[in-house]
Amino acid sequence: QQPLRPALPVRSFRTYSSSGYQLGMKGDKVEVVIDAGDSSRTYEVSATRAGRRVEVANARGGVVEVSEVTRSGTAVRTARFMSSRILALVEHPADGKSA
């Protein structure tokens, strides 16, 4: 008796997140507003090329990581922020018409 082979993954041309937006598109953007003492600073991480996406992760120790990730899951750029200093974190998904 031959061992069972795992099923091949089904490839789809469009992948959607739970919120209904297409994943991994040029134009994905995350803005982070930080308390800098007497003022606030705004940082922006965006998907700079087609096929890349922006992911937000809560790491251990009160750190929020915002990363631009390739299709294979490799982080290209990563920004880390102390969660106690974050005033706002706004995700702007791509509209699906660009890229």
Side-chain angles (χ1 to χ4, degrees):
Q1 197 175 25
Q2 293 182 351
L4 296 175
R5 284 192 269 167
L8 295 175
V10 176
R11 296 187 130 206
S12 63
F13 293 103
R14 295 176 190 225
T15 307
Y16 292 91
S17 68
S18 60
S19 60
Y21 292 103
Q22 230 175 340
L23 294 176
M25 295 186 62
K26 182 177 179 179
D28 280 349
K29 179 171 65 169
V30 173
E31 288 182 81
V32 183
V33 181
I34 301 295
D35 177 21
D38 57 345
S39 65
S40 63
R41 292 188 182 188
T42 302
Y43 296 93
E44 184 177 297
V45 178
S46 60
T48 56
R49 294 190 180 190
R52 292 189 181 170
R53 63 187 184 275
V54 179
E55 291 184 348
V56 178
N58 290 325
R60 279 187 267 177
V63 176
V64 174
E65 289 185 354
V66 181
S67 301
E68 180 182 358
V69 181
T70 62
R71 289 179 186 153
S72 62
T74 305
V76 178
R77 295 185 301 146
T78 301
R80 292 185 180 139
F81 303 98
M82 291 175 53
S83 60
S84 61
R85 294 286 186 174
I86 294 177
L87 299 175
L89 190 141
V90 183
E91 296 182 26
H92 301 279
D95 60 1
K97 296 176 184 166
S98 62

